[in-house]
Amino acid sequence: MISTMIQTSIQHPLFGLLVTLASYQLAMELNRRTRSMLAQPVLIGTLLVVGVLLLLEVDYATYNESAALVWLFLGPATVALAVPLYTHLRRIRDYFWPLLAALLIGGFTTVLLTLGLAWLLGADEALLASLAPKSVTSPIAILLAEDLGGSPALAAVFVMITGVAGAVMAPGLLKLAGIDLPAARGFTLGLNAHAAGTAVALEEGEETAAFAALAMSLTGAVTAILLPLFYSLAG
Amino acid sequence: MLGLLILVVFQLLGTLIAVAGVKLPGPVIGMLLLLMTLLLLRRVPEPLKVTSTQLLKYLPLMLIPPAVGILSQWQVVTSHLLAISVSLIGALLISIPLTAWVLQGLVRRRRVSE
């Protein structure tokens, strides 16, 4: 009886939507209650869905098909990222050259270090392609990883891990480096830890948050252009 | 509705350009095209602003299904755990202070010279 009910639910065309929504809601609640950087809703939500699928022995393809309604608008949402980028770009005028220098130096350093370290420790080409877009906001990272021959799923998870780790590590590292300029703190958080970093920046104040959001948008756009270019040059 | 129509049209344009041989994902080209259009317009049309704000609120939710694909990649993660964790954490250790130091240094130097 119960097993028939479970089977019927799993085979329902909206099963994936239900599990995803319920997991995300629970993850948001957990994030609100613990106020912990580690309880990043997307990461926890993903783990909860994985748990449910393992428990009910549902394979990824079945889940993904019935969750189509969730990711149907991922493409248009990626296009929509142009709107916050445009809004944040207005801030650039004041600090154009310093921001450009920080963006390029910071962006190159983090990508090259990630790839270099992973390569030294035996990562293969597919894994490197999934690691390369890790500083970029997830929707763009997923697309880039796929184009470069990596795994969208791995890229999405690496982005989340980088975000959480960066958000946890940044306050201490920034203190150690003696960084007190809100623009520099915000920009660093957004460039290195995208959404999670922007959440930390939001707690520090409006200026810090604005520069974090700017850095997150800019890193996404610039990496999306440069990464495939360098990959085709190197490959 | 008009906002969503704009987004879908730009995504389609991006995909067409990608198919024509530009080595970038379609939606990313669409985003860049929309950004250029907004820079030329010098404002965000109201329907586009409303739809983008609404749609981006759901972005975290939309990222869960692709991320759950980690299920079928589990072996890659476990067999390369060291490479993955060291490269991700190591890059952050250097790049966080470096980015902040470059930006703060350049901004301060310009202020002094002004």
Side-chain angles (χ1 to χ4, degrees), chain A residues 13-99:
Chain A
L14 292 179
F15 169 75
L17 178 66
L18 172 76
V19 174
T20 314
L21 282 173
S23 301
Y24 188 57
Q25 200 62 43
L26 199 63
M28 295 262 283
E29 189 60 26
L30 213 66
N31 176 270
R32 205 177 55 83
R33 292 220 182 148
T34 58
R35 298 173 151 266
S36 158
M37 264 310 122
L38 292 170
Q40 210 228 351
V42 193
L43 191 59
I44 303 295
T46 302
L47 293 176
L48 287 173
V49 174
V50 168
V52 171
L53 298 187
L54 289 176
L55 199 72
L56 298 178
E57 297 179 341
V58 179
D59 61 50
Y60 177 61
T62 309
Y63 159 76
N64 201 30
E65 204 176 302
S66 64
L69 213 54
V70 182
W71 49 260
L72 196 61
F73 285 100
L74 194 54
T78 307
V79 178
L81 288 172
V83 176
L85 177 53
Y86 170 76
T87 316
H88 300 310
L89 268 179
R90 294 186 195 161
R91 280 181 187 269
I92 270 198
R93 276 175 312 191
D94 304 340
Y95 294 126
F96 184 78
W97 292 111
L99 287 178

Side-chain angles (χ1 to χ4, degrees), chain A residues 107-231:
Chain A
F108 269 108
T109 309
T110 191
V111 172
L112 289 178
L113 268 176
T114 306
L115 293 180
L117 287 170
W119 181 73
L120 282 176
L121 292 167
D124 55 25
E125 227 169 272
L127 183 57
L128 290 178
S130 311
L131 278 166
K134 62 102 200 181
S135 321
V136 185
T137 181
S138 302
I140 298 179
I142 291 171
L143 294 165
L144 285 180
E146 202 164 20
D147 267 26
L148 300 175
S151 143
L154 286 180
V157 172
F158 294 158
V159 169
M160 292 174 200
I161 294 173
T162 298
V164 173
V168 171
M169 290 160 64
L173 286 170
L174 287 173
K175 194 174 173 189
L176 214 64
I179 309 298
D180 47 23
L181 193 73
R185 297 181 68 91
F187 201 78
T188 304
L189 279 162
L191 188 148
N192 288 291
H194 36 88
T198 307
V200 174
L202 209 57
E203 287 171 13
E204 289 196 11
E206 203 179 307
E207 195 183 356
T208 315
F211 276 94
L214 168 67
M216 182 168 77
S217 306
L218 273 181
T219 309
V222 172
T223 312
I225 300 171
L226 292 184
L227 199 58
L229 190 70
F230 284 114
Y231 245 80

